Amino acid sequence: MSLHAIYFPHLAAASGPITIQGEEAHHALRVKRLEIGDEVRLLDGRGTVVAARLASSRKVRGEWEVEIEILSTRRVEPAKPRLTVLSAAPKGERLDALIDGLSQAGAAAWGLLQTDRTVVEPRQGKLGRLERIAVEAMKQCGRAWMLEIGEPVAFEEALNRLGRVVIADGSGGPYQSSGESDVALLVGPEGGWSEKELTRARAKGVQAASFGPHVMRIETAAVVGAGVVMQATTRP
Amino acid sequence: MSLHAIYFPHLAAASGPITIQGEEAHHALRVKRLEIGDEVRLLDGRGTVVAARLASSRKVRGEWEVEIEILSTRRVEPAKPRLTVLSAAPKGERLDALIDGLSQAGAAAWGLLQTDRTVVEPRQGKLGRLERIAVEAMKQCGRAWMLEIGEPVAFEEALNRLGRVVIADGSGGPYQSSGESDVALLVGPEGGWSEKELTRARAKGVQAASFGPHVMRIETAAVVGAGVVMQATTRP
């Protein structure tokens, strides 16, 4: 139904035909078995969407390379509001599921939140690999902007973000939008927020919101929370 | 923080001490390493929550068995609204993630929805195994009612359910609650609804609702949709 998507970060600077190499070229030719003349969609993950066509392919030093002819280019606005989810990191594959789910639910960015009870501190290599998951999720769910993977953020710093800041906590009422354009949603670790963190949040006037009747794991709270925030703000 | 939870489906009929056998007994004694005198929480998955204490344990024919003394019993009301999610089945472990996520988000029941473009038809054994996932999710997320795993439902039958029926589709606006106590949320297969299905839904006056700006996989749409429906109805 939808065209095969290829990630090419340098689209904005491109003029004339584009040469795709490496994993994206291999995937298009050998896994998806696209042929010369087939149409594809190019994404730079920053709002540029290009309709294009496979013009030629060749193997260079054992690696596939494909030349792509640009048919038309359009710019897509990012989803509103601009939602940043800052969360503790769940273990292993659940962090991958979080990035994938946030991409589908429409968050703009994710960052690791450092909290008093944070246990899992993913290594730098792991955080780098999340970008690859964000790219794949973008292609699958039809986003033009990939989920940004930000730098780790301390709790206190997160409370001071510009725009609306909300902490996910069972003590809060349902989330309600005031039509703000920037929202930061803070999701705590498995052990919950410390008393000190809740006190700091209250002192800063940061509201708590509850996203359901039960206890949710980090990745579920983040994805459901993102869905609720995105929906609340588009409420007519 | 929260007490170890043990699933015991026959709680309502219990008077006096309870004997737990099999996997639950093994898990409490050997995995969680609970000791005599430790407090536990018993759940029947139907709203009964019992505070109890380990009274004794023994091995019978190579299997662990534990006797539990009831301290107090309370009844918990199910979450409102009563939300049933009917969806196509995603493949493999993604169906497990769906059951787990719906449990956390607060849905009351899930059933397999048969649609024109349904590809995956889980075997009966698979559907049986989902109950085990619902039990584990209930224990983890503090539910007193386990997610019910219902019988497969045909699309036409789903449209005729009592209460409010909503289909998840990008064509709809944001979900809005009218305070109904029963909601059925229909989530289609990866290929989307057929034109015939959308026409039938319109003819029945069934509304479409969109749960985000992007395309979501079945399990993400189901869990985010459940979160949004549960939240919209608790909106003050």
Side-chain angles (χ1 to χ4, degrees):
Chain A
M1 209 166 57
S2 69
L3 294 176
H4 176 67
I6 294 177
Y7 175 56
F8 187 76
H10 317 294
L11 266 188
S15 63
I18 285 174
T19 303
I20 308 278
Q21 301 164 312
E23 200 179 322
E24 292 282 358
H26 176 86
H27 191 73
L29 293 172
R30 307 303 297 167
V31 181
K32 291 287 171 178
R33 301 197 170 276
L34 297 184
E35 296 179 359
I36 302 311
D38 283 352
E39 289 194 21
V40 293
R41 204 161 37 103
L42 300 184
L43 303 169
D44 70 350
R46 309 293 302 153
T48 310
V49 180
V50 163
R53 186 160 36 205
L54 263 59
S56 67
S57 69
R58 59 187 164 276
K59 235 178 173 175
V60 179
R61 282 185 290 276
E63 299 275 329
W64 282 101
E65 208 175 272
V66 55
E67 198 173 72
I68 290 177
E69 173 195 358
I70 293 181
L71 300 176
S72 64
T73 299
R74 66 191 170 96
R75 291 285 306 165
V76 175
E77 289 295 305
K80 287 182 182 153
R82 181 181 158 79
L83 169 63
T84 300
V85 175
L86 300 171
S87 82
K91 283 183 206 160
E93 291 192 352
R94 292 167 44 210
L95 179 53
D96 301 0
L98 184 153
I99 296 302
D100 188 35
L102 285 184
S103 297
Q104 295 173 62
W110 174 82
L112 176 69
L113 183 66
Q114 287 158 336
T115 73
D116 289 346
R117 293 186 183 144
T118 296
V119 183
V120 181
E121 284 281 6
R123 280 163 304 178
Q124 201 52 45
K126 172 78 178 173
L127 289 176
R129 211 170 55 72
L130 297 180
E131 297 228 338
R132 195 65 222 166
I133 293 170
V135 166
E136 288 310 312
M138 168 180 69
K139 292 186 199 170
Q140 295 258 333
C141 73
R143 288 171 71 119
W145 292 79
M146 65 181 268
L147 183 80
E148 299 159 33
I149 311 292
E151 294 295 312
V153 178
F155 183 76
E156 189 66 29
E157 192 187 327
L159 291 181
N160 287 323
R161 285 182 65 97
L162 295 177
R164 169 112 179 254
V165 180
V166 178
I167 65 170
D169 191 66
S171 68
Y175 176 82
Q176 297 202 52
S177 167
S178 327
E180 51 279 319
S181 56
D182 278 82
V183 180
L185 172 63
L186 279 48
V187 176
E190 304 288 340
W193 304 108
S194 71
E195 212 32 69
K196 192 177 125 215
E197 283 164 344
L198 290 174
T199 305
R200 285 300 302 150
R202 271 190 295 269
K204 286 274 178 189
V206 166
Q207 263 191 328
S210 167
F211 293 96
H214 307 303
V215 177
M216 289 191 260
R217 284 201 312 269
I218 299 170
E219 69 280 17
T220 315
V223 174
V224 167
V228 167
V229 168
M230 295 306 290
Q231 172 117 65
T233 315
T234 56
R235 196 164 287 267
Chain B
M1 210 166 59
S2 70
L3 294 176
H4 176 67
I6 294 177
Y7 174 56
F8 187 75
H10 317 294
L11 267 188
S15 64
I18 286 174
T19 303
I20 308 279
Q21 300 164 314
E23 200 179 322
E24 291 281 359
H26 176 85
H27 191 74
L29 294 172
R30 307 304 296 169
V31 181
K32 290 289 170 176
R33 300 195 169 277
L34 298 184
E35 295 179 359
I36 303 311
D38 282 353
E39 289 195 20
V40 293
R41 203 162 38 104
L42 298 184
L43 303 168
D44 71 349
R46 309 293 302 153
T48 310
V49 179
V50 163
R53 185 158 39 205
L54 263 59
S56 67
S57 68
R58 58 186 165 278
K59 236 178 173 174
V60 179
R61 284 185 290 277
E63 299 276 329
W64 282 101
E65 206 175 275
V66 54
E67 198 172 74
I68 289 177
E69 174 195 358
I70 293 180
L71 301 176
S72 64
T73 299
R74 65 190 171 96
R75 292 284 305 164
V76 174
E77 289 296 307
K80 284 179 185 156
R82 182 181 157 79
L83 168 63
T84 300
V85 175
L86 301 171
S87 82
K91 283 184 206 160
E93 291 192 351
R94 290 167 44 208
L95 179 53
D96 302 359
L98 184 153
I99 296 302
D100 187 35
L102 286 184
S103 298
Q104 294 173 63
W110 174 82
L112 177 69
L113 184 65
Q114 287 157 337
T115 73
D116 289 345
R117 294 185 184 147
T118 296
V119 183
V120 181
E121 283 284 3
R123 280 163 302 179
Q124 201 52 45
K126 172 77 179 176
L127 289 176
R129 211 169 54 73
L130 297 181
E131 299 228 336
R132 195 65 224 167
I133 293 170
V135 166
E136 290 308 313
M138 168 180 69
K139 291 186 199 172
Q140 295 259 333
C141 73
R143 289 171 71 120
W145 293 79
M146 66 182 267
L147 184 80
E148 298 160 31
I149 310 293
E151 294 295 311
V153 178
F155 182 76
E156 189 67 27
E157 192 186 327
L159 291 180
N160 287 323
R161 286 181 65 98
L162 296 176
R164 169 111 180 256
V165 180
V166 178
I167 64 170
D169 191 66
S171 67
Y175 176 81
Q176 298 201 53
S177 165
S178 328
E180 51 279 320
S181 56
D182 279 81
V183 180
L185 172 63
L186 279 49
V187 177
E190 303 289 340
W193 304 107
S194 70
E195 215 30 71
K196 193 176 125 213
E197 284 164 343
L198 290 174
T199 305
R200 285 300 301 150
R202 272 190 294 268
K204 286 274 178 187
V206 165
Q207 263 191 327
S210 167
F211 292 97
H214 307 302
V215 176
M216 288 191 261
R217 285 202 312 269
I218 299 170
E219 69 279 16
T220 314
V223 174
V224 166
V228 167
V229 168
M230 296 306 289
Q231 172 117 62
T233 315
T234 56
R235 196 165 286 265

